[in-house]
């Protein structure tokens, strides 16, 4: 019985070690990370003003069949991305409206990095 417990503990340590190293190194094996880039997003206190800005701009909303969640990849065509104005902070992300929700997107990968609504 004691040997089984030790074997299970050793197995758990062997499995857990690569995961801990992976979390520290920022390297993901097998699937893409949820946060694609470490660029700053829009500050919390700026978000209401940014939402108002998006409404004022009347950007067309796009519909996709999938849920709008962080980490989802938007289609290659049919979606237009817009620059975030400098007054909302320096960011490499773009924004668009998908399924009625304003999202920040990493433009190269088209991956949603933040849902603003």
């Amino acid at each position: 019985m004691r040997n089984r417990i030790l074997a299970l503990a050793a197995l758990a340590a062997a499995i857990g070690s690569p995961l801990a190293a992976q979390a520290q190194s920022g390297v993901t094996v097998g699937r893409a990370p949820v946060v694609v880039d470490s660029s700053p997003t829009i500050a919390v206190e700026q978000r209401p003003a940014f939402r108002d800005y998006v409404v004022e701009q009347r950007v067309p909303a796009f519909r996709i069949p999938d849920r709008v969640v962080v980490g989802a990849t938007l289609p290659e065509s049919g979606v237009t991305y817009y620059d975030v104005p400098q007054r909302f902070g320096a960011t490499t992300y773009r924004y668009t409206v998908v399924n009625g929700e304003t999202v920040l997107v990493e433009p190269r990968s088209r991956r949603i990095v933040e849902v603003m609504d």
Side-chain angles (χ1 to χ4, degrees):
M1 180 72 167
R2 184 172 161 193
N3 287 340
R4 283 187 178 172
I5 293 172
L6 290 175
L8 287 174
L11 181 60
I15 291 172
S17 295
L19 293 176
Q22 174 183 335
Q24 292 175 354
S25 70
V27 174
T28 303
V29 177
R31 57 187 251 205
V34 172
V35 177
V36 179
D37 195 345
S38 61
S39 298
T41 61
I42 297 169
V44 174
E45 62 273 3
Q46 290 275 0
R47 291 180 185 181
F50 180 69
R51 285 187 206 106
D52 292 342
Y53 169 80
V54 172
V55 170
E56 290 169 7
Q57 296 302 304
R58 296 183 181 161
V59 296
F62 297 93
R63 302 278 321 152
I64 60 171
D66 301 324
R67 290 185 49 213
V68 178
V69 294
V70 171
T73 302
L74 296 177
E76 256 184 83
S77 62
V79 180
T80 304
Y81 304 101
Y82 304 92
D83 291 332
V84 174
Q86 188 69 31
R87 70 177 185 250
F88 297 111
T91 182
T92 59
Y93 300 131
R94 304 292 182 266
Y95 78 92
T96 193
V97 178
V98 180
N99 295 358
E101 299 188 67
T102 302
V103 296
L104 292 181
V105 178
E106 200 288 318
R108 289 170 292 180
S109 66
R110 303 176 326 277
R111 190 171 302 275
I112 297 172
V113 295
E114 190 166 350
V115 178
M116 302 298 292
D117 294 326

